[in-house]
C-alpha cells in the first residue's frame, strides 16, 4: 500500500482529503487503478531503466491523474531552463516541461537517465528465451521423447496404428491416460524422463574444457572447485566449478568448423553464435548480433565464437626451455639413454646450443654435419640434471612424429613457454610464405600428429592468435626408388591474414635465417582485407546427428559459461535464475528457485528481500513522488508519501503472535492496532484502544494513577469490577 501522510509533532495521519491520495492509493486515472499504474511504472523502470507519466493537475495545481508513457517514446533533455521531455506521439513530437512529467530514473551514469538492465544483460536474456523455446518443443508431445511400441507379428497397416496412438496418447493433456495394447504389443521407453533432463546442457565425457592454468581437461575428469576459463562481458575470466552433473543419456550433435575445431554435445547445449558474419554488402552489422543458440538450431554457415587469450597464467618455464622442447619435438629424438637432434640451418643449431647450455647441457656434432648429440650431463633414465629432468618430464621420451604432443610442462609454463615452444617447433617443422608472393600469405606448422597441432592451436589461442588446421595429405602408398612405401596422413596448422601474421611476428621468434627475414617482413604489414570479426568467429562446415550417448553436465559458478573445445558455450536454464536474481538483487526463491532454500531460512530470506531488494526501490519512488507531485506548500506542511511494508514482514502465525504479544505486553500497541494489522474488525470495548503495561498482571494505563493511589502496587491485579466493569 502507498499512502499520503502528514506528521505533526509526533502524530502521523493519512491525508485522505488530498486528491493525490486517491491517485496513488486508489485510481491512477479514469482507466487505471493505482495498482495497475504503479505496476506499469515499475515494469518500465526495471526493464527500460526509466519510467514516465504525464501529470494532470486541476486549476489549483493538485494532481488529479497520472498517465504512464512508454519509455521508448520519451527523450529527456537538459536545457538552460531546466529539464524538458520530448515525447513522440505518432509522427509528431511534443515537448513537456518538468512539472508535467513524473520521471523516475533507475541506476544511471548522469543522474538524469537510467540504463536498461535488459540491454546490459541481453545475451543471458536471449539464452533464457532459447531455453523456453526448447522447453516448449521438448515437452510439447507430452510423452517421453523416445517411445517404442513393438508387435510380435507383422502389422498390415503400421501407419494407422501410429496415428491412433498419437491421437489418443500424445500431448500434454493425454500423457497420463491408460494405454491399451492388443495382440501382444509391448511399450518401451527409449528416451529420458523430463525429470532426469533438468535442462542441464551437457558435453560428451571426452570433451576438452579449457582450465584456468592453461591446460585442457576432459569433462569426465573435472571435479567441483576445479577452476575453468569462463566467458563474461566478451572476456575470458577464471571461475570455479560449483557442480558436475551425473551423466545422463542425451541426443548428441557434432559440429565441425572451418578452422578444425570440433564439439560434440547434447542437442540442447547453448553456443555463443552469429547467423551471418557479414551483410550482403560485406559490411559488419553495427549491432552485436551474438546470441546463445542451441547446438541443434545451428546451421552450416553459422559462426561460433571462439575464445582468444585467457587470464594470465603463472610463469613456470623460460623462453629458452620452451624453444629447446619445441625444436626437439620437431627435429629431435628423445630416448632414455641418449638424445639426438638433426637440422641443417646454422642459425637454428647455434640457438639450440645456446638453449641447451642455459639448461645445463649442450649439443655437439655427431656423424655427418647435420646430426647432433644432446649432452644432458645426467645418467640415463634418471633426472640427474636440469636438462635431463626437462626431457624426462616432457612426455616425448620414445615418441615418434605421429605420436608426439605438446608437453604438459609447456602448457603449464606460461606465456614465455608457449612462445618458446611454438618458435622452436616453427624453426624445425614450420614454413612461412614470402609476403607479396602468388600464394596467400600464411605461416604454418606441419605434422603427422593431429593431436600435436591441435595442442599448438590451443597455445596460439591462449596467445590471442586465430589459426586453422587443414588436411595436407591423406596418407597412402608411394613408389620410392621403385619400391612401394607407405606414408602417414599429415596436417597443417595455418595462421593466415596480414593482421594475424603481424600479431604472430610479435610473438614468435625464429633463429632460421630465411624464416626470420620473412617473419620480420610481416611485422611491417599495414593493410588487410579482413576485419577483426573474421578472427573472433569460426564458421560451421559440418553438423552431424550422433544419436544418443552419455554426457557430462558442468555448472560454473558466477558466469555459467565455459570454453568447450575452444568454443564459448553455456550451462543451462536452471543456472540463468541466479543471474537474473543478481541483476535485481533478488533472493533466488522469489524466482521459484528453491534449490538453496529451506523452511528454516525462507523467513529470513523474505526479510532480506524486503530490506535489500524492495526498500531501496521504495525509497527511490517515494522521494520522486515527494519532489515531483507535492507542491512546496504541501512539503512545508510535512506531507510525504510512504509505502506500508508490514504485510511483507508478517512472517508465520506463531512469529506474529509472539511479536504482537510483546508489543501489547510492553505498552507499544493497543488491541485494536493489532486487530487492524490482521485486517480484523475493531473491538468495541473502550479499553481495546488503550495501551496496557505490566504490573503483576495487566491494567490499562488510564487506571495506573487510581491503582497506585489505592496502594495496590505489588499486589494482585484488581477485579474487573474495580476498573469500571472492564472485561
Amino acid at each position: 500500500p502507498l499512502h499520503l501522510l502528514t506528521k505533526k509533532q509526533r502524530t502521523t495521519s493519512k491525508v485522505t482529503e488530498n486528491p493525490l491520495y486517491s491517485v496513488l492509493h486508489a485510481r491512477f486515472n479514469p482507466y487505471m487503478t493505482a495498482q495497475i499504474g504503479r505496476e506499469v511504472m515499475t515494469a518500465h523502470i526495471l526493464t527500460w531503466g526509466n519510467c514516465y507519466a504525464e501529470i494532470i493537475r486541476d486549476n489549483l495545481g493538485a494532481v488529479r491523474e497520472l498517465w504512464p508513457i512508454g519509455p521508448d517514446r520519451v527523450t529527456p533533455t537538459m536545457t538552460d531552463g531546466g529539464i524538458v521531455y520530448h515525447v513522440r506521439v505518432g509522427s509528431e513530437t511534443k515537448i513537456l516541461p518538468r512539472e508535467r512529467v513524473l520521471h523516475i530514473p533507475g541506476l544511471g551514469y548522469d543522474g538524469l537517465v537510467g540504463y536498461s538492465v535488459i540491454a546490459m544483460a541481453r545475451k543471458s536474456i536471449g539464452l533464457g528465451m532459447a531455453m523456453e523455446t526448447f522447453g516448449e518443443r521438448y515437452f510439447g508431445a507430452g510423452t517421453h521423447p523416445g517411445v517404442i511400441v513393438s508387435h510380435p507379428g507383422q502389422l498390415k497397416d503400421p501407419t494407422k496404428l501410429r496415428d491412433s496412438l498419437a491421437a489418443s496418447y500424445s500431448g500434454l493433456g493425454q500423457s497420463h491416460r491408460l494405454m491399451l495394447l492388443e495382440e501382444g504389443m509391448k511399450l518401451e521407453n527409449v528416451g529420458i524422463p523430463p525429470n532426469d533432463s533438468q535442462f542441464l546442457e551437457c558435453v560428451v565425457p571426452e570433451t576438452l574444457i579449457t582450465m584456468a592454468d592453461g591446460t585442457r581437461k576432459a569433462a569426465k575428469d573435472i571435479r567441483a572447485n576445479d577452476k575453468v576459463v569462463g566467458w563474461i562481458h566478451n572476456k575470458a575470466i577464471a571461475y570455479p566449478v560449483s557442480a558436475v552433473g551425473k551423466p545422463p543419456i542425451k541426443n548428441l550433435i557434432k559440429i565441425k568448423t572451418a578452422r578444425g575445431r570440433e564439439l560434440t554435445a547434447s542437442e540442447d547445449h547453448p553456443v555463443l553464435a552469429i547467423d551471418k558474419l557479414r551483410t550482403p554488402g560485406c559490411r559488419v552489422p553495427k549491432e552485436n548480433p551474438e546470441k546463445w543458440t542451441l547446438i541443434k538450431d545451428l546451421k552450416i554457415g553459422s559462426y561460433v565464437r571462439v575464445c582468444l587469450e585467457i587470464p594470465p597464467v603463472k610463469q613456470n618455464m623460460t623462453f629458452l626451455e620452451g624453444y629447446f622442447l619445441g625444436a626437439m619435438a620437431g627435429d629431435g629424438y628423445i630416448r632414455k639413454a641418449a638424445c639426438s637432434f638433426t637440422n641443417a640451418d646454422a642459425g637454428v643449431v647455434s640457438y639450440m646450443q645456446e638453449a641447451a647450455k642455459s639448461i645445463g647441457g649442450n649439443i655437439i656434432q655427431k656423424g655427418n654435419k647435420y646430426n647432433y648429440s644432446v649432452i644432458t650431463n645426467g645418467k640415463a633414465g634418471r633426472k640427474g640434471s636440469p636438462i635431463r629432468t626437462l626431457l624426462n618430464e616432457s612426455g616425448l621420451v620414445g615418441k615418434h612424429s605421429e605420436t608426439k604432443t605438446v608437453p604438459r610442462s609447456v602448457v603449464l609454463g606460461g606465456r614465455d613457454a608457449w612462445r618458446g615452444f611454438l618458435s622452436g617447433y616453427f624453426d624445425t617443422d614450420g614454413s612461412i610464405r614470402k609476403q607479396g608472393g602468388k600464394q596467400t600469405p600464411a605461416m604454418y606448422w606441419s605434422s603427422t600428429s593431429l593431436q600435436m597441432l591441435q595442442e599448438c592451436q590451443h597455445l596460439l589461442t591462449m596467445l590471442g592468435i586465430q589459426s586453422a588446421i587443414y588436411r595436407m595429405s591423406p596418407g597412402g602408398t608411394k613408389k620410392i626408388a621403385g619400391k612401394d612405401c607407405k606414408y602417414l596422413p599429415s596436417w597443417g596448422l595455418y595462421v593466415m591474414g596480414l593482421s594475424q601474421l603481424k600479431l604472430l611476428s610479435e610473438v614468435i621468434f625464429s633463429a632460421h635465417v630465411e624464416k626470420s627475414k620473412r617473419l620480420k617482413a610481416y611485422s611491417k604489414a599495414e593493410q588487410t582485407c579482413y576485419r577483426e570479426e573474421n578472427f573472433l568467429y569460426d564458421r560451421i562446415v559440418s553438423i552431424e546427428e550422433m544419436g544418443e550417448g552419455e554426457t557430462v553436465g558442468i555448472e560454473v559458478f558466477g558466469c555459467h559459461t565455459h570454453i568447450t573445445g575452444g568454443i564459448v558455450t553455456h550451462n543451462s536454464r536452471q543456472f540463468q535464475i541466479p543471474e537474473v536474481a543478481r541483476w535485481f538483487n533478488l533472493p533466488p526463491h522469489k524466482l521459484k528457485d528453491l534449490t538453496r532454500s529451506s523452511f528454516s531460512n525462507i523467513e529470513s530470506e523474505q526479510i532480506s528481500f524486503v530490506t535489500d531488494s524492495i526498500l531501496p526501490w521504495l525509497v527511490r519512488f517515494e522521494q520522486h513522488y515527494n519532489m515531483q507531485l507535492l507542491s512546496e506548500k504541501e512539503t512545508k506542511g510535512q506531507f510525504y508519501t510512504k509505502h506500508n511494508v508490514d504485510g511483507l514482514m508478517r512472517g508465520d502465525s506463531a512469529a506474529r503472535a509472539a511479536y504482537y504479544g510483546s508489543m501489547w505486553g510492553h505498552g507499544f500497541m493497543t488491541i485494536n492496532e493489532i486487530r487492524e494489522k490482521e485486517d480484523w474488525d475493531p473491538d468495541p470495548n473502550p479499553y481495546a484502544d488503550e495501551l496496557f503495561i505490566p504490573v503483576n498482571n495487566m491494567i490499562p494505563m488510564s487506571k495506573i494513577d487510581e491503582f497506585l493511589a489505592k496502594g495496590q502496587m505489588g499486589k494482585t491485579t484488581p477485579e474487573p469490577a474495580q476498573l469500571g466493569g472492564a472485561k
Side-chain angles (χ1 to χ4, degrees), residues 233-253:
H233 303 316
N234 289 327
K235 187 177 181 181
I237 301 178
Y239 284 94
V241 172
S242 57
V244 178
K246 63 179 182 179
I249 303 298
K250 287 195 170 189
N251 289 326
L252 303 177
I253 291 180

Side-chain angles (χ1 to χ4, degrees), residues 170-204:
S170 180
L172 289 179
Q174 320 254 54
S175 59
H176 298 290
R177 295 182 64 185
L178 180 64
M179 184 176 286
L180 299 177
L181 298 176
E182 302 175 304
E183 302 177 6
M185 290 187 291
K186 295 181 179 179
L187 179 70
E188 299 177 31
N189 287 318
V190 296
I192 56 173
N195 187 46
D196 293 340
S197 173
Q198 299 176 1
F199 286 103
L200 180 63
E201 284 64 49
C202 309
V203 295
V204 294

Side-chain angles (χ1 to χ4, degrees), residues 48-62:
W48 287 84
N50 299 271
C51 61
Y52 304 90
E54 183 178 2
I55 304 171
I56 305 298
R57 302 177 186 270
D58 59 20
N59 293 333
L60 298 177

Side-chain angles (χ1 to χ4, degrees), residues 401-403 447-449 473-476 486-491:
S401 61
E402 71 275 15
T403 58
S447 177
T448 56
S449 171
S473 171
K486 292 183 178 181
Y487 65 99
L488 297 170
S490 62
W491 293 265

Side-chain angles (χ1 to χ4, degrees), residues 361-379:
N362 200 358
I363 289 181
I364 60 174
Q365 192 171 349
K366 178 183 179 182
N368 66 52
K369 59 181 179 180
Y370 302 136
N371 292 331
Y372 299 86
S373 292
V374 180
I375 307 301
T376 64
N377 297 318
K379 293 183 179 181

Side-chain angles (χ1 to χ4, degrees), residues 55-73:
I55 304 171
I56 305 298
R57 302 177 186 270
D58 59 20
N59 293 333
L60 298 177
V63 178
R64 291 289 182 175
E65 299 172 5
L66 290 174
W67 291 86
I69 309 172
D72 57 322
R73 298 196 292 118

Side-chain angles (χ1 to χ4, degrees), residues 8 16 22 28 53 65 73-74 113 147 223 233 352 429 543 561 615 633 675 683 685 701 717:
K8 296 180 179 180
T16 56
S22 176
F28 238 48
E65 299 172 5
R73 298 196 292 118
V74 184
V113 180
V147 178
R223 300 291 181 267
H233 303 316
M352 275 294 283
D429 274 353
I543 300 176
T561 55
L615 283 181
K633 180 180 178 180
R675 296 179 67 89
D683 187 337
N685 193 306
M701 293 186 68
T717 304

Side-chain angles (χ1 to χ4, degrees), residues 4-5 56 74 108 115 117 147 172 201 235 282 301 372 383 395 427 492 517 519 521 529 533 587 618 693:
L4 179 62
L5 306 172
I56 305 298
V74 184
Y115 61 65
V117 174
V147 178
L172 289 179
E201 284 64 49
K235 187 177 181 181
C282 294
Y372 299 86
K383 294 183 178 181
D427 274 347
K517 290 180 182 179
L519 190 62
C529 61
E533 284 82 358
L618 299 186
I693 60 171

